[in-house]
Every structure is written in structure tokens, then in C-alpha cells.
mmCIF file of all heavy atoms in Angstrom:
data_model
loop_
_atom_site.group_PDB
_atom_site.id
_atom_site.type_symbol
_atom_site.label_atom_id
_atom_site.label_comp_id
_atom_site.label_asym_id
_atom_site.label_seq_id
_atom_site.Cartn_x
_atom_site.Cartn_y
_atom_site.Cartn_z
ATOM 1 N N PRO A 82 28.184 -6.053 -8.751
ATOM 2 C CA PRO A 82 28.669 -5.962 -7.371
ATOM 3 C C PRO A 82 27.626 -6.433 -6.367
ATOM 4 O O PRO A 82 26.456 -6.596 -6.698
ATOM 5 C CB PRO A 82 28.914 -4.452 -7.180
ATOM 6 C CG PRO A 82 28.492 -3.780 -8.440
ATOM 7 C CD PRO A 82 27.778 -4.751 -9.285
ATOM 8 N N VAL A 83 28.079 -6.639 -5.125
ATOM 9 C CA VAL A 83 27.157 -6.807 -4.012
ATOM 10 C C VAL A 83 27.030 -5.432 -3.365
ATOM 11 O O VAL A 83 28.010 -4.687 -3.273
ATOM 12 C CB VAL A 83 27.640 -7.892 -3.011
ATOM 13 C CG1 VAL A 83 28.989 -7.555 -2.394
ATOM 14 C CG2 VAL A 83 26.620 -8.132 -1.908
ATOM 15 N N TYR A 84 25.815 -5.067 -2.992
ATOM 16 C CA TYR A 84 25.532 -3.749 -2.404
ATOM 17 C C TYR A 84 25.150 -3.910 -0.942
ATOM 18 O O TYR A 84 24.591 -4.939 -0.557
ATOM 19 C CB TYR A 84 24.336 -3.102 -3.131
ATOM 20 C CG TYR A 84 24.733 -2.212 -4.287
ATOM 21 C CD1 TYR A 84 25.323 -2.748 -5.429
ATOM 22 C CD2 TYR A 84 24.517 -0.838 -4.251
ATOM 23 C CE1 TYR A 84 25.687 -1.939 -6.497
ATOM 24 C CE2 TYR A 84 24.877 -0.023 -5.310
ATOM 25 C CZ TYR A 84 25.455 -0.570 -6.429
ATOM 26 O OH TYR A 84 25.823 0.241 -7.476
ATOM 27 N N ALA A 85 25.434 -2.894 -0.155
ATOM 28 C CA ALA A 85 24.944 -2.858 1.234
ATOM 29 C C ALA A 85 24.521 -1.421 1.535
ATOM 30 O O ALA A 85 25.018 -0.481 0.916
ATOM 31 C CB ALA A 85 26.030 -3.301 2.203
ATOM 32 N N ALA A 86 23.597 -1.298 2.470
ATOM 33 C CA ALA A 86 23.182 0.042 2.908
ATOM 34 C C ALA A 86 23.123 0.060 4.427
ATOM 35 O O ALA A 86 22.869 -0.963 5.069
ATOM 36 C CB ALA A 86 21.824 0.407 2.322
ATOM 37 N N ALA A 87 23.392 1.226 4.986
ATOM 38 C CA ALA A 87 23.272 1.452 6.427
ATOM 39 C C ALA A 87 22.342 2.646 6.609
ATOM 40 O O ALA A 87 22.478 3.647 5.892
ATOM 41 C CB ALA A 87 24.639 1.752 7.031
ATOM 42 N N VAL A 88 21.402 2.534 7.527
ATOM 43 C CA VAL A 88 20.415 3.607 7.738
ATOM 44 C C VAL A 88 20.264 3.900 9.227
ATOM 45 O O VAL A 88 20.112 2.973 10.029
ATOM 46 C CB VAL A 88 19.030 3.220 7.150
ATOM 47 C CG1 VAL A 88 17.982 4.289 7.475
ATOM 48 C CG2 VAL A 88 19.111 3.021 5.638
ATOM 49 N N ILE A 89 20.317 5.172 9.569
ATOM 50 C CA ILE A 89 19.992 5.614 10.939
ATOM 51 C C ILE A 89 18.647 6.334 10.861
ATOM 52 O O ILE A 89 18.506 7.323 10.140
ATOM 53 C CB ILE A 89 21.063 6.578 11.498
ATOM 54 C CG1 ILE A 89 22.429 5.875 11.573
ATOM 55 C CG2 ILE A 89 20.650 7.099 12.881
ATOM 56 C CD1 ILE A 89 23.589 6.793 11.955
ATOM 57 N N LEU A 90 17.674 5.809 11.578
ATOM 58 C CA LEU A 90 16.350 6.452 11.627
ATOM 59 C C LEU A 90 16.264 7.331 12.869
ATOM 60 O O LEU A 90 16.940 7.061 13.869
ATOM 61 C CB LEU A 90 15.245 5.388 11.705
ATOM 62 C CG LEU A 90 15.050 4.490 10.475
ATOM 63 C CD1 LEU A 90 13.969 3.455 10.755
ATOM 64 C CD2 LEU A 90 14.684 5.302 9.238
ATOM 65 N N PRO A 91 15.441 8.385 12.824
ATOM 66 C CA PRO A 91 15.221 9.154 14.054
ATOM 67 C C PRO A 91 14.673 8.220 15.144
ATOM 68 O O PRO A 91 13.926 7.281 14.833
ATOM 69 C CB PRO A 91 14.156 10.190 13.647
ATOM 70 C CG PRO A 91 14.224 10.255 12.153
ATOM 71 C CD PRO A 91 14.638 8.889 11.694
ATOM 72 N N LYS A 92 15.058 8.468 16.368
ATOM 73 C CA LYS A 92 14.641 7.602 17.486
ATOM 74 C C LYS A 92 13.116 7.471 17.517
ATOM 75 O O LYS A 92 12.399 8.473 17.442
ATOM 76 C CB LYS A 92 15.145 8.217 18.802
ATOM 77 C CG LYS A 92 15.154 7.235 19.946
ATOM 78 C CD LYS A 92 15.891 7.816 21.143
ATOM 79 C CE LYS A 92 15.946 6.840 22.290
ATOM 80 N NZ LYS A 92 16.765 7.328 23.398
ATOM 81 N N GLY A 93 12.655 6.224 17.583
ATOM 82 C CA GLY A 93 11.212 5.984 17.679
ATOM 83 C C GLY A 93 10.458 6.113 16.370
ATOM 84 O O GLY A 93 9.228 6.043 16.346
ATOM 85 N N HIS A 94 11.178 6.262 15.271
ATOM 86 C CA HIS A 94 10.523 6.525 13.984
ATOM 87 C C HIS A 94 10.395 5.266 13.132
ATOM 88 O O HIS A 94 11.349 4.515 12.970
ATOM 89 C CB HIS A 94 11.329 7.579 13.213
ATOM 90 C CG HIS A 94 10.645 8.049 11.954
ATOM 91 N ND1 HIS A 94 9.468 8.735 11.961
ATOM 92 C CD2 HIS A 94 10.995 7.915 10.640
ATOM 93 C CE1 HIS A 94 9.115 9.022 10.717
ATOM 94 N NE2 HIS A 94 10.022 8.531 9.890
ATOM 95 N N ILE A 95 9.191 5.055 12.594
ATOM 96 C CA ILE A 95 8.971 3.981 11.612
ATOM 97 C C ILE A 95 8.521 4.648 10.325
ATOM 98 O O ILE A 95 7.643 5.502 10.332
ATOM 99 C CB ILE A 95 7.876 2.997 12.104
ATOM 100 C CG1 ILE A 95 8.341 2.249 13.358
ATOM 101 C CG2 ILE A 95 7.515 1.997 11.004
ATOM 102 C CD1 ILE A 95 7.278 1.390 14.005
ATOM 103 N N ILE A 96 9.132 4.285 9.219
ATOM 104 C CA ILE A 96 8.718 4.839 7.922
ATOM 105 C C ILE A 96 7.554 3.996 7.413
ATOM 106 O O ILE A 96 7.678 2.781 7.236
ATOM 107 C CB ILE A 96 9.886 4.850 6.923
ATOM 108 C CG1 ILE A 96 10.981 5.802 7.440
ATOM 109 C CG2 ILE A 96 9.419 5.278 5.539
ATOM 110 C CD1 ILE A 96 12.284 5.742 6.695
ATOM 111 N N GLU A 97 6.432 4.639 7.196
ATOM 112 C CA GLU A 97 5.219 3.923 6.815
ATOM 113 C C GLU A 97 5.421 3.141 5.518
ATOM 114 O O GLU A 97 5.935 3.666 4.538
ATOM 115 C CB GLU A 97 4.077 4.936 6.635
ATOM 116 C CG GLU A 97 2.716 4.297 6.802
ATOM 117 C CD GLU A 97 1.601 5.313 6.603
ATOM 118 O OE1 GLU A 97 1.755 6.462 7.072
ATOM 119 O OE2 GLU A 97 0.612 4.959 5.982
ATOM 120 N N GLY A 98 5.028 1.871 5.549
ATOM 121 C CA GLY A 98 5.120 1.058 4.334
ATOM 122 C C GLY A 98 6.415 0.287 4.197
ATOM 123 O O GLY A 98 6.543 -0.605 3.368
ATOM 124 N N VAL A 99 7.400 0.628 5.034
ATOM 125 C CA VAL A 99 8.703 -0.049 4.921
ATOM 126 C C VAL A 99 8.573 -1.494 5.399
ATOM 127 O O VAL A 99 7.972 -1.774 6.424
ATOM 128 C CB VAL A 99 9.789 0.708 5.721
ATOM 129 C CG1 VAL A 99 10.981 -0.180 6.003
ATOM 130 C CG2 VAL A 99 10.249 1.929 4.941
ATOM 131 N N ASN A 100 9.130 -2.390 4.603
ATOM 132 C CA ASN A 100 9.118 -3.814 4.931
ATOM 133 C C ASN A 100 10.334 -4.435 4.268
ATOM 134 O O ASN A 100 11.046 -3.766 3.523
ATOM 135 C CB ASN A 100 7.820 -4.453 4.393
ATOM 136 C CG ASN A 100 7.479 -5.769 5.087
ATOM 137 O OD1 ASN A 100 8.359 -6.446 5.606
ATOM 138 N ND2 ASN A 100 6.210 -6.124 5.093
ATOM 139 N N ASP A 101 10.544 -5.707 4.527
ATOM 140 C CA ASP A 101 11.595 -6.452 3.833
ATOM 141 C C ASP A 101 11.451 -6.188 2.329
ATOM 142 O O ASP A 101 10.388 -6.397 1.754
ATOM 143 C CB ASP A 101 11.396 -7.940 4.166
ATOM 144 C CG ASP A 101 12.205 -8.870 3.298
ATOM 145 O OD1 ASP A 101 13.049 -8.381 2.533
ATOM 146 O OD2 ASP A 101 11.991 -10.085 3.401
ATOM 147 N N SER A 102 12.526 -5.715 1.679
ATOM 148 C CA SER A 102 12.433 -5.298 0.271
ATOM 149 C C SER A 102 11.965 -6.425 -0.641
ATOM 150 O O SER A 102 11.345 -6.177 -1.672
ATOM 151 C CB SER A 102 13.791 -4.775 -0.214
ATOM 152 O OG SER A 102 14.756 -5.802 -0.193
ATOM 153 N N LYS A 103 12.226 -7.687 -0.249
ATOM 154 C CA LYS A 103 11.821 -8.818 -1.100
ATOM 155 C C LYS A 103 10.296 -8.975 -1.134
ATOM 156 O O LYS A 103 9.762 -9.610 -2.029
ATOM 157 C CB LYS A 103 12.467 -10.115 -0.593
ATOM 158 C CG LYS A 103 13.987 -10.135 -0.741
ATOM 159 C CD LYS A 103 14.604 -11.469 -0.343
ATOM 160 C CE LYS A 103 14.709 -11.677 1.143
ATOM 161 N NZ LYS A 103 15.576 -10.696 1.849
ATOM 162 N N LYS A 104 9.617 -8.405 -0.151
ATOM 163 C CA LYS A 104 8.156 -8.549 -0.091
ATOM 164 C C LYS A 104 7.435 -7.402 -0.811
ATOM 165 O O LYS A 104 6.215 -7.363 -0.850
ATOM 166 C CB LYS A 104 7.697 -8.592 1.375
ATOM 167 C CG LYS A 104 8.183 -9.820 2.106
ATOM 168 C CD LYS A 104 7.767 -9.774 3.558
ATOM 169 C CE LYS A 104 8.303 -11.006 4.308
ATOM 170 N NZ LYS A 104 8.217 -10.838 5.754
ATOM 171 N N LEU A 105 8.197 -6.456 -1.354
ATOM 172 C CA LEU A 105 7.596 -5.277 -1.975
ATOM 173 C C LEU A 105 7.756 -5.316 -3.486
ATOM 174 O O LEU A 105 8.725 -5.866 -4.003
ATOM 175 C CB LEU A 105 8.280 -4.002 -1.439
ATOM 176 C CG LEU A 105 8.233 -3.795 0.075
ATOM 177 C CD1 LEU A 105 9.208 -2.695 0.483
ATOM 178 C CD2 LEU A 105 6.829 -3.435 0.539
ATOM 179 N N SER A 106 6.811 -4.703 -4.189
ATOM 180 C CA SER A 106 6.938 -4.616 -5.650
ATOM 181 C C SER A 106 8.022 -3.604 -5.996
ATOM 182 O O SER A 106 8.398 -2.765 -5.169
ATOM 183 C CB SER A 106 5.610 -4.149 -6.256
ATOM 184 O OG SER A 106 5.367 -2.796 -5.869
ATOM 185 N N GLU A 107 8.509 -3.674 -7.223
ATOM 186 C CA GLU A 107 9.565 -2.747 -7.651
ATOM 187 C C GLU A 107 9.088 -1.287 -7.532
ATOM 188 O O GLU A 107 9.820 -0.422 -7.072
ATOM 189 C CB GLU A 107 9.956 -3.065 -9.100
ATOM 190 C CG GLU A 107 11.222 -2.355 -9.527
ATOM 191 C CD GLU A 107 11.793 -2.866 -10.843
ATOM 192 O OE1 GLU A 107 11.401 -3.955 -11.297
ATOM 193 O OE2 GLU A 107 12.642 -2.155 -11.409
ATOM 194 N N LYS A 108 7.837 -1.063 -7.923
ATOM 195 C CA LYS A 108 7.267 0.293 -7.870
ATOM 196 C C LYS A 108 7.244 0.802 -6.419
ATOM 197 O O LYS A 108 7.630 1.928 -6.124
ATOM 198 C CB LYS A 108 5.850 0.257 -8.451
ATOM 199 C CG LYS A 108 5.170 1.620 -8.552
ATOM 200 C CD LYS A 108 3.847 1.488 -9.298
ATOM 201 C CE LYS A 108 3.120 2.814 -9.366
ATOM 202 N NZ LYS A 108 2.556 3.243 -8.090
ATOM 203 N N LYS A 109 6.812 -0.087 -5.514
ATOM 204 C CA LYS A 109 6.726 0.291 -4.096
ATOM 205 C C LYS A 109 8.125 0.555 -3.527
ATOM 206 O O LYS A 109 8.334 1.505 -2.768
ATOM 207 C CB LYS A 109 6.025 -0.845 -3.313
ATOM 208 C CG LYS A 109 5.670 -0.489 -1.884
ATOM 209 C CD LYS A 109 4.518 0.501 -1.817
ATOM 210 C CE LYS A 109 4.242 0.928 -0.402
ATOM 211 N NZ LYS A 109 3.681 2.271 -0.305
ATOM 212 N N ARG A 110 9.093 -0.279 -3.906
ATOM 213 C CA ARG A 110 10.468 -0.072 -3.432
ATOM 214 C C ARG A 110 11.003 1.279 -3.887
ATOM 215 O O ARG A 110 11.659 1.987 -3.127
ATOM 216 C CB ARG A 110 11.393 -1.187 -3.938
ATOM 217 C CG ARG A 110 11.271 -2.480 -3.186
ATOM 218 C CD ARG A 110 12.464 -3.392 -3.431
ATOM 219 N NE ARG A 110 12.644 -3.756 -4.816
ATOM 220 C CZ ARG A 110 12.174 -4.866 -5.375
ATOM 221 N NH1 ARG A 110 11.489 -5.720 -4.647
ATOM 222 N NH2 ARG A 110 12.408 -5.130 -6.649
#
């Protein structure tokens, strides 16, 4: 299948380490 995700973050919040998934290793993802 093709997958999609939708995410609502708390206002003003950045999750440390989050980046385009293609730029991350499998372990990091």
C-alpha cells in the first residue's frame, strides 16, 4: 500500500532530531 500520516504538534513545539525521513537512518527513524 501507499501510507500517509497526519501529525498535530503542540503549538511552537519542535521534536528534537526530526527531519525529512529520507535523510535519517532506519534506526534513527
Side-chain angles (χ1 to χ4, degrees):
V83 61
Y84 268 67
V88 175
I89 299 173
L90 293 177
K92 198 170 182 174
H94 187 65
I95 294 173
I96 296 170
E97 203 181 320
V99 161
N100 200 335
D101 167 8
S102 64
K103 294 185 283 298
K104 294 177 182 166
L105 302 167
S106 68
E107 192 168 344
K108 184 173 178 288
K109 189 72 184 151
R110 282 197 300 265

